Each structure stands twice: as structure tokens, then as C-alpha cells.
Amino acid sequence: MPDEKSGSGAPATAMVAVVQVYRRDAPGDWWPEGKDVFQLLWCPNVHWDPPAPHADVSPVVEIRWRSSADVTRVLGSPPLPVRQEEPDYGYTPVRCALTAVPLVDFPYPQALPDGELVKSVEKYAEATGGEGDVITRVAGIKFGGWPTWHLTDPCEVPCHTCGAPCRLLFTVASDDTTGITVGRWGDFRVFTCPDSDGHGYVFDQH
Ligand SMILES: [Zn+2]
Ligand SMILES: [Zn+2]
């Protein structure tokens, strides 16, 4: 992507790898057929007004689904990204390895349709959380589950193509270990349309 602080919008900078996950480590119905590697890259620089389907000030993202069997040659010296420092944002992750942990995630209790269910999930959250709720909208780097809502009540995220409510595909959380900071210590979320793979993604941070 061309970057904001370059008057001409050029040169574009190389994106940085944020996360790579193998299918064997995070099995789920989100994998396209024949693909076994998920890669999320983003531009290391802040884009104040990024193009759709990104929200304002959202990192500009590229998602790749790959087949590891097709990767026969690896670039020995990939082009280096050029980071234009914005101290409030951590878009250059610290190199680290992820450990996959299966978990059960609950939605924001108030988003549940049934009053009794809301109460029982809230009770469960109290009983398990100690200092706070640790079972609903679990933070961290995760596939699937439920979106976090730090700033507002939950709302639907409509598909840019057909308007259907999208579901959460992937979350990148602000985190000290990875050095990632998005928004106000928020989460970067990737949503997909349930109707069609061809409808692209909705990127959002919250
Ligand atoms: Zn950029
Ligand atoms: Zn759609």
C-alpha cells in the first residue's frame, strides 16, 4: 500500500507478517478446501483513511490461504518493510511462536436472545473470572469465537457486498508479548460473510 507520509504515495512498503497458522493447529470450519496455511500480513504504517473494507485507522491487511505443498521455494531475503514511526501503534510485531489452545468462547452476555441464558452466562462468568470476566469474548489471537466489544455495545457487522451479518473469522489482540497495539489497546477483527466466500472480508478494530 502507498503510505501516508510520502507526498507522492510512493514507494509502497513491504507488508509485515503478523501471524501464520497451520490447519492442524486450529482445525475448524473456517478453512477453505485444499488450504492448510493461514497468513495475515499488514502494512506497518498507520493509514488514517484506508480503503474499504477497512475501518478508519485500521491497519491495511492482506489475508492469504495457502497450501503448504505448493510452497517449493522460499524467498531468502524478503524486502524489508519501512516503518514510519507512530508511537501509539504497534504494527511491527515482535518475533514469537504461537501456541495453539482450543477454547470455548461465549458471546457478550447481553447479546444473547434469552433472558435466562444471559443470567446464567453472567453467573458463570462471575464464578470463573475472579477479578473479571475471562470466559466471554476471550481476548488474544484467535480463530472464530465471538468478537470483543470494548467501546460500545455489540452490533452487527454487515457484509459490504450483500449486507448479511458477518461472523468473526479471526482476531489479533493488543498484547505485550507480541508488541502489537491496535486502537486503544483494542482488538483487530476480521469478519466474513456467511453467504459466500467471494464476498471478501470486513476488517475492523475495536
Ligand atoms: Zn501502507
Ligand atoms: Zn455477503
Side-chain angles (χ1 to χ4, degrees):
M1 291 295 299
D3 282 297
E4 295 289 322
K5 287 186 182 169
S6 151
S8 64
T13 186
M15 286 190 156
V16 295
V18 179
V19 62
Q20 170 172 285
V21 182
Y22 285 90
R23 185 174 192 146
R24 61 173 181 265
D25 293 324
D29 62 0
W30 39 75
W31 288 94
E33 212 175 312
K35 307 294 182 191
D36 65 349
V37 183
F38 168 84
Q39 295 175 323
L40 188 152
L41 304 99
W42 66 31
C43 177
N45 299 316
V46 174
H47 288 258
W48 294 101
D49 188 16
H54 297 83
D56 286 351
V57 204
S58 153
V60 171
V61 168
E62 173 85 16
I63 285 184
R64 305 236 169 119
W65 299 95
R66 309 180 71 177
S67 163
S68 55
D70 295 342
V71 181
T72 50
R73 281 189 334 132
V74 177
L75 209 54
S77 47
L80 290 174
V82 180
R83 168 84 165 138
Q84 295 158 350
E85 286 306 324
E86 286 277 354
D88 292 341
Y89 299 88
Y91 288 169
T92 309
V94 175
R95 184 186 291 245
C96 55
L98 297 173
T99 306
V101 179
L103 62 87
V104 176
D105 200 8
F106 289 90
Y108 188 61
Q110 280 72 28
L112 293 166
D114 173 337
E116 285 306 306
L117 196 56
V118 172
K119 276 188 213 146
S120 63
V121 171
E122 279 176 340
K123 246 189 199 164
Y124 189 38
E126 268 171 39
T128 49
E131 293 293 294
D133 176 357
V134 294
I135 61 156
T136 77
R137 303 149 292 139
V138 175
I141 290 182
K142 69 181 181 185
F143 261 116
W146 298 93
T148 51
W149 299 99
H150 298 296
L151 305 176
T152 65
D153 284 343
C155 56
E156 283 180 350
V157 176
C159 169
H160 286 300
T161 304
C162 71
C166 289
R167 65 176 192 160
L168 182 65
L169 170 72
F170 199 79
T171 302
V172 180
S174 296
D175 181 274
D176 280 330
T177 309
T178 58
I180 293 172
T181 312
V182 284
R184 294 182 182 175
W185 199 250
D187 292 333
F188 175 79
R189 296 98 55 88
V190 181
F191 294 88
T192 53
C193 176
D195 283 357
S196 169
D197 289 342
H199 286 192
Y201 303 99
V202 180
F203 301 114
D204 172 55
Q205 64 181 23
H206 202 91

